[in-house]
Amino acid sequence: MKWTRALALPAAAVAAVAVRDLTQKQHAILHNFPVLGHARYLLEKVGPELRQYIVTDNNDERPFSRDQRRWVYASAKRQNPYFGFGTDNDVERNEGYAVIKHRTFADVQPAVHPNVGEETPLPCAKVLGAPRGRRHAFRPASTINVSAMSYGALSGPAVEALNRGCALAGALHNTGEGGISVHHRHGADLVFQIGTAYFGCRDGRGRFDLERLKDLVAADPVRAIEVKLSQGAKPGLGGLLPAAKISEEIAQIRGIPLGEDCHSPSRHAEFSDVDSMLDFVELLAAETGLPVGIKSAVGQDDLWQDLARMMSSGDRGVDFIAVDGGEGGTGAAPLIFSDSVSLPFRLGFPQAYAAFAREGIADRVVWIGAGKLGLPENAAVAFALGVDLVNVAREAMMSIGCIQAQRCHDDRCPTGVATQNAWLTRGLDPDTKSERAANYLRSWRREMLKVAEACGVQHPGLMGGDMVDILLGTRLATPLWQTVGYDDPGWGLPSRQQQEDIRRLMVGAPEGGSAPPSATAVDAPDEGREEGAPSSGDGPARDSRIEDSATPG
């Protein structure tokens, strides 16, 4: 009798569900298959998790494969980032696969130990703002920096963790278009992004307010200003912050109402073409003294042609250009924009860069790349194309706990990274996660230092388009600079003076070497290693401090 009573309540519940399914008219599956039909919706809901952890292999999943995520996670936790048994990429049949060409005999050699080089600074090869004489020009101390992700799109603890991680690693932290919050004020230098809604620097009617911008810059550690034209994952559209993610604090910072989706306009009100945009850039630079640049995805190329032509006279210009690939991420966007609008980075960036190279002014601009460049293999190609700095977003999110659940848009991020749900965000500890963000940034720099040295140069900014081949299966290998339509293999490299400066700054970086020579080779010159360098990559790094990392060169 006891077990009969125990089963009565569940049976009644199942019967109630069956009656409801049979009488409802919204879902044919539930009407035709009462109770059992719910299994279909459950499997659909947990399908991404099943594929992520059980079904797909190491390289099938998108946007980041299991191998790619594993490398980020291991780097963030300072675990062994090595992989065994060789590559499982289908190199033999892959069209467009990039191969980095190492140099057998060179003046520099990569260190071997997994952690050697993590503390070595890897500064930008160019001084940001110097060509146009900005009062506060500076050399970014890190070639990898955290890209624009607003407070609102990310939780407060996530923003704090990233900011503190950037401070520990000496990287820049882009605020995103949502303004500066208390979570951005934990030690890192900031790049303040101005979007079409002018959050943080607008008046009560939503118009741009120069005086508010100047007050904001004076009160915060803002080192540069980025004017956002478009983003790779939603080009041509303004930003979208769903109402579910808007808290009272966020509404106050942005000056928006609660309970409504926050739509940024698709266009700027302060300028309407390249000519007026340059006037706006020069106004911001003159009033703040900061370097000012733009961020844009690449679509029709008239923007880049016009901008390069107008900047060639030297009267006006942007200090940096951040090119975001169409494979970049976002918290929320229409599917067609995420999938099919704007060019991927490897196609889009060369179009923008080539316009400036043909005008002979590419070295006057600091080029920033974004779009899955937090993975060293992608970044190596980007540097060979002409990138000076890399901005990372989703990779930085993964370093602080993101598991690629793809719930950024509905406020249900299970790790507390991309949600404002207090119950979910309480699990994200900024103390622990900031260390992991810093570890990831340092590990990326270590990997890039090693791959540059394997190619025979001291810095990834010295990698040229002839150091990478693009494969057509096993049939053809074409130098990168030719595949993207560059006129010269030297395109993508800094000026000769900038190259000399970065070589000087990298003196003292740890290098590998060899065992002591045998008696028969004792009189032969040891050209592969400077005097005083450790005989293997396991030795301690020599002093590699950079004296002018925050001053004009």
Side-chain angles (χ1 to χ4, degrees):
M1 295 297 293
K2 290 183 178 180
W3 64 267
T4 303
R5 287 195 297 269
L7 291 176
L9 186 59
V14 170
V17 171
V19 170
R20 179 186 180 278
D21 291 345
L22 288 168
T23 56
Q24 61 83 36
K25 299 182 181 298
Q26 292 179 311
H27 305 288
I29 288 178
L30 295 182
H31 183 83
N32 294 339
F33 303 95
V35 182
L36 293 177
H38 288 279
R40 183 264 182 191
Y41 296 103
L42 176 62
L43 289 173
E44 182 181 46
K45 185 175 182 180
V46 302
E49 286 77 9
L50 289 174
R51 291 190 294 272
Q52 180 173 356
Y53 296 111
I54 299 174
V55 179
T56 58
D57 67 20
N58 290 340
N59 291 295
D60 277 351
E61 196 174 0
R62 295 291 182 269
F64 291 90
S65 70
R66 184 180 292 124
D67 276 351
Q68 292 169 339
R69 296 198 315 275
R70 177 187 157 194
W71 179 82
V72 173
Y73 296 147
S75 298
K77 298 174 184 178
R78 297 205 78 211
Q79 296 174 349
N80 183 357
Y82 283 13
F83 287 69
F85 214 63
T87 181
D88 55 6
N89 293 341
D90 192 1
V91 179
E92 297 88 347
R93 290 188 290 270
N94 196 319
E95 180 177 346
Y97 195 87
V99 172
I100 301 162
K101 299 191 291 186
H102 72 284
R103 184 178 295 278
T104 303
F105 299 110
D107 294 334
V108 294
Q109 301 179 33
V112 177
H113 191 282
N115 298 116
V116 165
E118 287 184 354
E119 299 303 326
T120 302
L122 200 63
C124 182
K126 298 175 183 175
V127 177
L128 183 56
R132 298 209 50 76
R134 307 304 189 198
R135 296 196 306 274
H136 300 303
F138 71 105
R139 185 188 300 276
S142 175
T143 50
I144 183 172
N145 302 285
V146 171
S147 189
M149 294 180 285
S150 301
Y151 171 50
L154 299 190
S155 67
V159 173
E160 179 183 342
L162 291 174
N163 188 265
R164 291 168 61 178
C166 287
L168 291 170
L172 296 167
H173 186 190
N174 193 306
T175 63
E177 65 175 293
I180 298 177
S181 69
V182 65
H183 311 291
H184 290 98
R185 298 183 174 105
H186 290 274
D189 287 339
L190 302 175
V191 176
F192 179 68
Q193 186 181 81
I194 298 178
T196 56
Y198 306 113
F199 296 127
C201 56
R202 69 180 193 168
D203 62 18
R205 296 174 58 186
R207 301 174 301 182
F208 173 71
D209 189 326
L210 180 60
E211 293 305 315
R212 290 195 180 191
L213 174 66
K214 291 164 64 175
D215 291 342
L216 188 78
V217 166
D220 294 284
V222 177
R223 301 299 303 275
I225 296 173
E226 179 179 88
V227 180
K228 177 182 175 182
L229 304 181
S230 63
Q231 181 180 343
K234 47 189 174 191
L237 294 179
L240 167 65
L241 184 64
K245 299 180 72 170
I246 300 175
S247 65
E248 291 186 10
E249 181 184 13
I250 293 167
Q252 183 177 7
I253 292 170
R254 297 193 178 203
I256 57 177
L258 280 169
E260 298 178 13
D261 290 344
C262 176
H263 295 273
S264 297
S266 59
R267 299 289 185 272
H268 278 270
E270 297 302 300
F271 52 87
S272 57
D273 54 21
V274 173
D275 187 37
S276 55
M277 181 188 75
L278 286 175
D279 286 340
F280 185 65
V281 166
E282 291 295 339
L283 171 67
L284 300 181
E287 292 293 329
T288 65
L290 298 174
V292 181
I294 60 172
K295 174 182 179 178
S296 180
V298 177
Q300 299 182 29
D301 61 2
D302 55 341
L303 165 66
W304 310 107
Q305 305 292 338
D306 293 345
L307 182 57
R309 176 176 51 81
M310 291 185 187
M311 284 183 58
S312 63
S313 66
D315 298 331
R316 300 171 299 167
V318 297
D319 298 296
F320 65 90
I321 296 175
V323 175
D324 195 12
E327 65 271 63
T330 183
L335 182 62
I336 187 173
F337 280 82
S338 293
D339 285 354
S340 302
V341 184
S342 85
L343 289 172
F345 179 82
R346 288 191 190 178
L347 293 176
F349 181 85
Q351 286 195 14
Y353 183 92
F356 285 74
R358 293 191 175 100
E359 293 287 346
I361 58 173
D363 58 356
R364 296 187 204 170
V365 176
V366 170
W367 294 92
I368 303 174
K372 298 181 72 173
L373 302 186
L375 305 170
E377 63 269 27
N378 292 343
V381 176
F383 277 101
L385 289 172
V387 158
D388 301 300
L389 298 174
V390 161
N391 278 352
V392 294
R394 289 171 294 178
E395 300 93 324
M397 291 168 62
M398 286 190 284
S399 76
I400 62 171
C402 168
I403 61 170
Q404 195 170 279
Q406 298 178 301
R407 307 299 298 269
C408 313
H409 60 292
D410 64 7
D411 203 39
R412 296 180 182 177
C413 169
T415 59
V417 174
T419 177
Q420 303 305 317
N421 184 301
W423 186 81
L424 294 170
T425 60
R426 66 178 182 173
L428 198 160
D429 175 31
D431 290 336
T432 302
K433 300 303 185 181
S434 61
E435 290 284 351
R436 292 188 179 180
N439 289 340
Y440 160 69
L441 296 172
R442 295 185 186 117
S443 296
W444 182 95
R445 293 195 300 237
R446 172 203 66 212
E447 296 289 292
M448 292 308 303
L449 180 62
K450 284 184 177 182
V451 76
E453 290 174 338
C455 293
V457 294
Q458 299 92 333
H459 186 281
L462 301 176
M463 295 179 65
D466 56 351
M467 295 183 183
V468 178
D469 274 356
I470 303 299
L471 305 187
L472 181 60
T474 56
R475 289 168 285 169
L476 184 66
T478 306
L480 175 66
W481 68 276
Q482 293 182 11
T483 67
V484 299
Y486 282 1
D487 297 345
D488 188 281
W491 283 14
L493 291 171
S495 69
R496 290 187 178 181
Q497 183 60 55
Q498 290 165 342
Q499 293 181 47
E500 291 177 9
D501 290 343
I502 199 61
R503 289 191 187 99
R504 175 178 58 83
L505 291 173
M506 294 308 295
V507 169
E511 295 183 28
S514 63
S518 66
T520 58
V522 70
D523 294 327
D526 185 3
E527 296 181 354
R529 178 164 56 90
E530 294 184 9
E531 183 179 354
S535 60
S536 74
D538 296 344
R542 290 174 286 155
D543 183 18
S544 56
R545 290 173 295 177
I546 296 173
E547 300 298 335
D548 70 341
S549 63
T551 58

